[in-house]
Amino acid sequence: MMDHQDNVNQQLAIIRDILLHGDREEIKKIKGIIDSRVEMETRIQPIIDENISHIKKNFPEVFGKEVSLEVEKKILLSNDLILTAISPLMGKMIKRYITIQFQELKESIDRSVKNNFSAKRYYHLLLSRVFGIKSSEIILSELDAFKPDIKDIFVIQRNSGLLMGSYSTTEMGDSGIFGGMLTAIKSFGEDVFKNSGDDGHELEMIEYNSFKIFMQSHHNYYFAVVLKGTYNSSEKDKLSNQLIAFAEKEKKLNLKDFTGDDVKYISDQLGKFFA
Amino acid sequence: MDISKKIILTGSFGVGKTSLFSRFIYSDFDDRYLTTIGVKVDKKTIDIKEHKLNMMLWDIAGEVAQDKVPLSYFLGAHGIIYVFDLTRPMTYNNIGTDIEYLKDILPEGVVKVVGNKKDLVTPEHIEKVISSLPIMCDITTSAKTGENVEDLFKSMGENLV
């Protein structure tokens, strides 16, 4: 009985071998391909390349919506960070916009000047030729809104910061304290940069809103001039020359020790000279 | 006659320089400790003999050693008030070196050495601290109660005119 069963099994195995031979060969071949990286790459890489190329060509259609949603989500979550990052850029853009607008205003003035053959035009031309100042700058400086306006002038002893004289058109508070604090700020700035290779240079300008404090140093003292309005290089030269002229005229400015009477005298002379 | 003089208040941090400054100028005292940033300049005019003396007071941020204070703050000063805290030895341990340094940079300046916060210690303690110092202490003050504050500035003024 057992022999008969064994016989049947053997015959079935032979039949199975005959029938499945082809399939087994095919499976062996496929397994060979799967197990070999080179064989796999040869077959799959073209498909991947094709898909990548398709995604590249059609990225907005394929992923546009998902990317938009993700970016929107990130922007909402990082609002503060983004603002911090773009604020300086916005500032630069605004500054650039204003500069361009001013440039256009200057150019428009230049154009109108070109068409104007008045005596003033020839006067401006003369100034431009002689002093190298652009016509637009001359016109701007002639407009009241742009005119540099001297608000206050202080003469301050260099090291001590003591006030040697002042001429003021505004209510600025105590001039003595102003002189002291300004000297402290100046000293601080000069101290900070003394090792930067810029030794010998001094703080020359402080800007606050539309006000500027221009400082010009002399041997024992410095002038601090509070200005309002536009202040170009020609205005700076003009003011600097006026201060030098005043310094040459007033010998009392070189006093090492001075009294209240000296302060009053210097203040009166400043008033007469700059009013 | 009107005269202006620059006076520096210096010393280690937390010794009460700003409190002395406020007590003298505004007759005011604040218990809160607010550290001075950089320097604060203020003015008080006092009558000394026949003169009106404008004291331009520079209250400088405290430093553990005087050579750490920006040198430019001292330039042109006529007087220096060096303040230490009677309750904290670390504020007077280097007093000799500090005063020597200040006299070097301002040989003609008037220097006053002041022990502050006397309201917090006993007279015996003050005596012990002062006798341990390598230099003379000119006056002991309390910015809190105002004791000796006017006298300190008046004595500085008298030395300056």
Side-chain angles (χ1 to χ4, degrees), chain A residues 154 163 166 171-181, chain B residues 42-45 54 56:
Chain A
F154 302 90
L163 188 78
S166 64
E171 294 291 322
M172 264 206 74
D174 193 293
S175 308
I177 297 171
F178 175 84
M181 273 314 290
Chain B
D42 218 321
K43 181 174 103 172
K44 182 153 176 170
T45 304
N54 296 312
M56 298 305 306

Side-chain angles (χ1 to χ4, degrees), chain A residues 113 116-126 138-139 142:
Chain A
V113 166
N116 181 359
F117 290 97
S118 64
K120 208 170 189 177
R121 163 69 181 149
Y122 290 109
Y123 169 67
H124 287 170
L125 268 176
L126 183 70
I138 297 168
I139 289 178
E142 283 177 355

Side-chain angles (χ1 to χ4, degrees), chain A residues 110-175:
Chain A
D110 275 340
R111 276 197 298 276
S112 63
V113 166
K114 268 185 189 167
N115 298 327
N116 181 359
F117 290 97
S118 64
K120 208 170 189 177
R121 163 69 181 149
Y122 290 109
Y123 169 67
H124 287 170
L125 268 176
L126 183 70
L127 283 180
S128 298
R129 292 271 160 83
V130 176
F131 299 107
I133 309 164
K134 284 182 183 171
S135 302
S136 50
E137 285 186 0
I138 297 168
I139 289 178
L140 273 178
S141 66
E142 283 177 355
L143 296 172
D144 279 346
F146 291 98
K147 227 173 204 170
D149 187 10
I150 293 176
K151 294 287 179 191
D152 312 271
I153 303 178
F154 302 90
V155 187
I156 301 158
Q157 201 174 39
R158 261 181 94 145
N159 289 331
S160 68
L162 296 176
L163 188 78
M164 298 177 76
S166 64
Y167 160 70
S168 194
T169 63
T170 57
E171 294 291 322
M172 264 206 74
D174 193 293
S175 308

Side-chain angles (χ1 to χ4, degrees), chain A residues 37-183:
Chain A
R37 187 187 167 91
V38 178
E39 290 282 354
M40 277 295 280
E41 273 180 2
T42 315
R43 282 166 173 78
I44 292 173
Q45 195 59 46
I47 301 166
I48 293 172
D49 289 344
E50 195 183 315
N51 276 333
I52 289 174
S53 164
H54 174 76
I55 289 168
K56 274 186 186 169
K57 278 183 195 160
N58 305 292
F59 190 86
E61 290 83 34
V62 181
F63 292 112
K65 201 177 167 190
E66 283 79 5
V67 170
S68 297
L69 284 170
E70 194 57 28
V71 169
E72 204 174 310
K73 211 161 84 184
K74 291 272 182 204
I75 287 174
L76 284 172
L77 285 171
S78 323
N79 217 356
D80 288 344
L81 278 175
I82 290 167
L83 275 176
T84 311
I86 65 170
S87 292
L89 292 174
M90 283 175 72
K92 277 185 191 168
M93 281 167 67
I94 292 166
K95 198 175 166 187
R96 191 170 156 70
Y97 174 78
I98 291 169
T99 310
I100 290 168
Q101 292 303 309
F102 259 93
Q103 193 58 41
E104 282 178 6
L105 173 66
K106 278 186 173 185
E107 282 167 9
S108 120
I109 292 170
D110 275 340
R111 276 197 298 276
S112 63
V113 166
K114 268 185 189 167
N115 298 327
N116 181 359
F117 290 97
S118 64
K120 208 170 189 177
R121 163 69 181 149
Y122 290 109
Y123 169 67
H124 287 170
L125 268 176
L126 183 70
L127 283 180
S128 298
R129 292 271 160 83
V130 176
F131 299 107
I133 309 164
K134 284 182 183 171
S135 302
S136 50
E137 285 186 0
I138 297 168
I139 289 178
L140 273 178
S141 66
E142 283 177 355
L143 296 172
D144 279 346
F146 291 98
K147 227 173 204 170
D149 187 10
I150 293 176
K151 294 287 179 191
D152 312 271
I153 303 178
F154 302 90
V155 187
I156 301 158
Q157 201 174 39
R158 261 181 94 145
N159 289 331
S160 68
L162 296 176
L163 188 78
M164 298 177 76
S166 64
Y167 160 70
S168 194
T169 63
T170 57
E171 294 291 322
M172 264 206 74
D174 193 293
S175 308
I177 297 171
F178 175 84
M181 273 314 290
L182 192 63
T183 307

Side-chain angles (χ1 to χ4, degrees), chain A residues 225-239:
Chain A
V225 185
V226 182
L227 300 151
K228 200 171 182 187
T230 56
Y231 184 65
N232 55 32
S233 55
S234 67
E235 294 293 344
K236 185 184 163 187
D237 284 346
K238 194 175 150 193
L239 175 61

Side-chain angles (χ1 to χ4, degrees), chain B:
Chain B
M1 188 164 60
D2 276 19
I3 309 169
S4 295
K5 298 286 176 187
K6 173 180 175 179
I7 297 152
I8 306 282
L9 271 140
T10 192
S12 192
F13 57 88
V15 295
K17 298 180 291 297
T18 304
S19 298
L20 284 169
F21 179 91
S22 302
R23 166 63 71 189
F24 177 59
I25 295 175
Y26 314 112
S27 303
D28 187 25
F29 179 81
D30 190 339
D31 257 326
R32 289 170 301 171
Y33 174 57
L34 297 166
T35 188
T36 305
I37 297 166
V39 60
K40 186 177 187 295
V41 181
D42 218 321
K43 181 174 103 172
K44 182 153 176 170
T45 304
I46 57 170
D47 292 318
I48 302 273
K49 299 169 195 165
E50 73 278 18
H51 303 294
K52 277 210 177 301
L53 175 65
N54 296 312
M55 300 181 106
M56 298 305 306
L57 296 160
W58 288 45
D59 175 23
I60 295 179
E63 288 287 355
V64 282
Q66 286 307 294
D67 56 5
K68 300 270 184 289
V69 177
L71 183 64
S72 51
Y73 288 168
F74 292 113
L75 298 177
H78 301 93
I80 294 177
I81 296 174
Y82 181 93
V83 188
F84 68 91
D85 180 346
L86 287 162
T87 69
R88 285 191 299 146
M90 67 162 289
T91 67
Y92 53 79
N93 281 344
N94 294 322
I95 199 164
T97 320
D98 277 349
I99 298 298
E100 200 179 322
Y101 172 79
L102 294 174
K103 285 188 170 167
D104 262 1
I105 57 170
L106 275 180
E108 289 171 19
V110 176
V111 179
K112 297 267 174 199
V113 178
V114 183
N116 190 37
K117 304 192 188 179
K118 73 179 297 186
D119 54 292
L120 298 177
V121 288
T122 60
E124 293 75 32
H125 178 85
I126 295 172
E127 193 53 47
K128 198 177 146 197
V129 170
I130 287 174
S131 58
S132 74
L133 299 177
I135 45 119
M136 200 187 84
C137 174
D138 293 285
I139 196 165
T140 54
T141 56
S142 166
K144 189 172 184 176
T145 64
E147 188 180 348
N148 287 345
V149 177
E150 286 283 334
D151 289 347
L152 161 68
F153 287 95
K154 200 174 164 207
S155 132
M156 172 59 91
E158 279 165 353
N159 289 153
L160 290 176
V161 294

Side-chain angles (χ1 to χ4, degrees), chain A residues 2-19:
Chain A
M2 277 300 284
D3 286 346
H4 174 71
Q5 187 60 46
D6 287 346
N7 243 343
V8 171
N9 286 344
Q10 270 178 10
Q11 283 168 358
L12 279 172
I14 291 165
I15 293 167
R16 201 160 44 230
D17 285 345
I18 293 166
L19 287 173

